[in-house]
Amino acid sequence: MPDTSQLPFLLRLLDDPSPRVQAKVRGTLRAFGPQLNSEVASFLAKNQIALNEQQQAVLEEIYADCAAEHEDFAALWRAIQNSNDEWFKLESAFAFLARWQFEVEHDARAWESFSLHTLLDDLAQEYRETGEDHDALSLANWLFGPRGLGGAQPENYYNPLNSNLIHVLQSGEGLPISLAAIFMLTGQRLDIEVHGCAFPSHFLARSGELFFDCYNGGRLLEQRESNAILKVMPDALLPSSAAPIIARVLFNLINAYQHKDEYEKARGCLNLLEQLKQMETAI
């Protein structure tokens, strides 16, 4: 995120006659993204500053540009959720959320430099080149063993980027649901059937009657464990469709941003969640 200490200079230059200065000011202010309006309002109120007519007009144009970009995001989110292809919906939602996060964190280079789809393609190809058997157990052992994916450390558990699959693939650490999603989406590329299970508080993956704890090294649950879960919660280990998985990721992001007192970003995730629920209800 741009340094808010720049705001006094940026706002003062809103009516600068130089096109070059104008372009620089507009670009820097737009980099604040959806938070621009609230950041400027807070700054002006705190410092009891009033903009002149021309400055206010330029600022309104910049607000409109930010709103148009936000509307493009909303249209893309709706298009993803309206898809009937569950794998497309799941992967595209994770790609969308990665882009959204990098945008609100104002790290556009991270989004522009990496494609989630390409990273997952590369991961699947890495596995093919190992010569390992093409089954879920072998894939889990590789992903959460030699490939180095694992659970986020306790002190870093509430980092919102643990829900960002691009970041997880780069850092090697993620939440149970993020790691399970990578397992699922890599398996899908290899024709290995892997689904997610919305087990309360600790997302699991499954392939047939095998259940995996991706957060703890891809550990295979013993039959007595899965039987005990099924006895108490018969539906807890059923394969989950894309929408509930995406909703759970958004809940995690809301909690993570609230944990960091980043309430504007939490509200952004809540808005996406509400749109998701509305579209699911309409189907």
Side-chain angles (χ1 to χ4, degrees), residues 81 86 89-90 177 198 203 239-251 273 276 280:
Q81 301 313 318
E86 287 290 303
K89 184 184 292 188
L90 183 67
I177 195 167
F203 200 86
S240 182
S241 60
I245 294 174
I246 298 163
R248 187 154 167 172
V249 171
L250 287 167
F251 273 118
L273 180 60
L276 174 63
E280 287 298 303

Side-chain angles (χ1 to χ4, degrees), residues 30-206:
R30 282 180 61 184
F32 279 86
Q35 290 97 322
L36 176 62
N37 201 325
S38 60
E39 290 285 356
V40 170
S42 174
F43 171 80
L44 294 176
K46 182 179 178 180
N47 294 279
Q48 298 183 330
I49 295 173
L51 301 178
N52 64 39
E53 244 182 78
Q54 188 177 350
Q55 290 171 331
Q56 188 61 44
V58 173
L59 191 58
E60 292 296 336
E61 290 178 12
I62 298 171
Y63 286 156
D65 288 342
C66 289
E69 290 173 3
H70 182 71
E71 180 56 34
D72 288 345
F73 260 44
L76 177 58
W77 185 241
R78 288 193 297 272
I80 291 169
Q81 301 313 318
N82 285 332
S83 172
N84 293 321
D85 185 328
E86 287 290 303
W87 287 110
F88 171 83
K89 184 184 292 188
L90 183 67
E91 184 167 330
S92 297
F94 271 108
F96 175 95
L97 291 174
R99 177 184 175 186
W100 180 87
Q101 275 195 297
F102 288 137
E103 289 285 345
V104 298
E105 301 294 345
H106 306 289
D107 189 6
R109 286 174 300 175
W111 164 251
E112 293 165 357
S113 302
F114 299 99
S115 158
L116 175 60
H117 309 293
T118 301
L119 290 174
L120 290 167
D121 285 346
D122 292 345
L123 188 63
Q125 184 57 34
E126 272 187 68
Y127 181 72
R128 290 188 188 96
E129 293 172 358
T130 66
E132 295 283 350
D133 293 336
H134 278 215
D135 59 58
L137 184 57
S138 299
L139 178 59
N141 288 339
W142 179 76
L143 284 174
F144 308 115
R147 186 54 179 78
L149 294 178
Q153 297 300 309
E155 64 273 14
N156 193 45
Y157 194 85
Y158 286 99
N159 181 350
L161 290 173
N162 288 332
S163 294
N164 183 323
L165 294 199
I166 292 177
H167 177 82
V168 173
L169 285 166
Q170 292 174 322
S171 69
E173 295 186 357
L175 300 181
I177 195 167
S178 309
L179 297 168
I182 290 171
F183 185 20
M184 294 162 63
L185 293 168
T186 307
Q188 192 261 342
R189 284 164 164 73
L190 298 165
D191 294 322
I192 298 172
E193 183 184 1
V194 182
H195 296 283
C197 302
F199 183 67
S201 77
H202 195 88
F203 200 86
L204 300 172
R206 70 175 292 171

Side-chain angles (χ1 to χ4, degrees), residues 200-222:
S201 77
H202 195 88
F203 200 86
L204 300 172
R206 70 175 292 171
S207 180
E209 297 305 311
L210 300 179
F211 300 92
F212 300 86
D213 181 353
C214 302
Y215 185 78
N216 289 300
R219 184 179 73 86
L220 187 64
L221 270 63
E222 295 181 15

